[in-house]
């Protein structure tokens, strides 16, 4: 039957989360994300994919960084989320500095220089390099648990 090729499961309004319900942004799978009013399958994948790139969200406001998120949609969906699970810290070593949306090439260069010199990277050293702004340090601190 050719109709089966074109029929996609449609979401019933009874499947949506009720107003006042919240879910953990860092543990929700894409199916659970689509239960939030205003999030379809493709947006759920974007939220999930960005979470994977980050290593987890540390504040709900980071949803505003998801590609295609506008203020109206953010304000609609944000009340449904909470953060119960902390993001994963980046494992930084002499041999490896992982890619991260908040780590720019200049940051990576400074980290490599510090590690190559045999020192342990600290926020003091990163800030003194002149390559990390206060904003950078605030955004990266949950992912770089340095002294």
């Amino acid at each position: 039957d050719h109709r089966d090729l074109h029929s996609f499961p449609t979401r019933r309004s009874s499947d949506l989360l009720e107003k006042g319900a919240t879910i953990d942004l860092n543990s929700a799978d894409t199916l659970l994300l689509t239960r939030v009013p205003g999030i379809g399958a493709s947006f759920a994948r974007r939220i999930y994919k960005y979470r994977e790139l980050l290593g987890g969200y540390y504040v709900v406001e980071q949803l505003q960084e998801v590609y295609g998120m506008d203020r109206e949609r953010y304000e609609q969906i944000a009340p449904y989320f909470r953060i119960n699970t902390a993001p994963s810290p980046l494992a930084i070593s002499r041999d490896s500095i992982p890619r991260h949306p908040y780590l720019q090439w200049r940051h990576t260069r400074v980290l490599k220089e510090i590690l190559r010199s045999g020192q342990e990277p600290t926020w003091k050293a990163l800030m003194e390099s002149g390559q990390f702004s206060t904003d950078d340090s605030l955004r990266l601190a949950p992912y770089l648990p340095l002294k």
Side-chain angles (χ1 to χ4, degrees):
D1 186 352
H2 72 279
R3 284 178 302 158
D4 292 338
L5 296 174
H6 302 288
S7 62
F8 295 98
T10 53
R11 192 168 58 176
R12 295 188 309 276
S13 60
S14 61
D15 293 340
L16 295 176
L17 293 174
E18 294 179 19
K19 203 170 183 70
T22 61
I23 58 175
D24 179 25
L25 188 52
N26 284 334
S27 64
D29 61 13
T30 54
L31 199 59
L32 182 53
L33 290 170
T34 61
R35 294 189 57 206
V36 173
I39 298 179
S42 66
F43 226 81
R45 283 192 300 274
R46 283 188 208 161
I47 290 168
Y48 184 87
K49 184 109 174 114
Y50 194 57
R51 180 178 79 202
E52 296 293 298
L53 288 171
L54 286 170
Y57 296 98
Y58 62 88
V59 289
V60 173
E61 288 79 10
Q62 286 174 287
L63 281 173
Q64 295 173 87
E65 300 166 17
V66 173
Y67 178 78
M69 183 71 68
D70 59 21
R71 179 175 294 286
E72 191 177 319
R73 185 186 307 230
Y74 170 74
E75 288 174 358
Q76 179 187 358
I77 68 173
Y80 290 93
F81 293 106
R82 66 183 185 284
I83 306 289
N84 281 4
T85 313
S88 304
L90 290 170
I92 290 182
S93 69
R94 265 181 93 149
D95 305 321
S96 146
I97 297 176
R99 294 177 62 86
H100 190 273
Y102 295 167
L103 271 181
Q104 297 169 9
W105 68 271
R106 66 178 201 271
H107 300 141
T108 304
R109 193 180 69 224
V110 170
L111 283 164
K112 282 180 181 170
E113 286 170 13
I114 292 171
L115 290 165
R116 208 175 297 123
S117 74
Q119 297 175 346
E120 198 61 34
T122 63
W123 278 111
K124 185 176 188 292
L126 296 180
M127 297 306 285
E128 285 174 355
S129 74
Q131 298 302 314
F132 285 77
S133 69
T134 303
D135 283 350
D136 293 332
S137 68
L138 292 172
R139 288 173 52 158
L140 281 163
Y143 304 105
L144 284 179
L146 307 176
K147 293 179 182 137

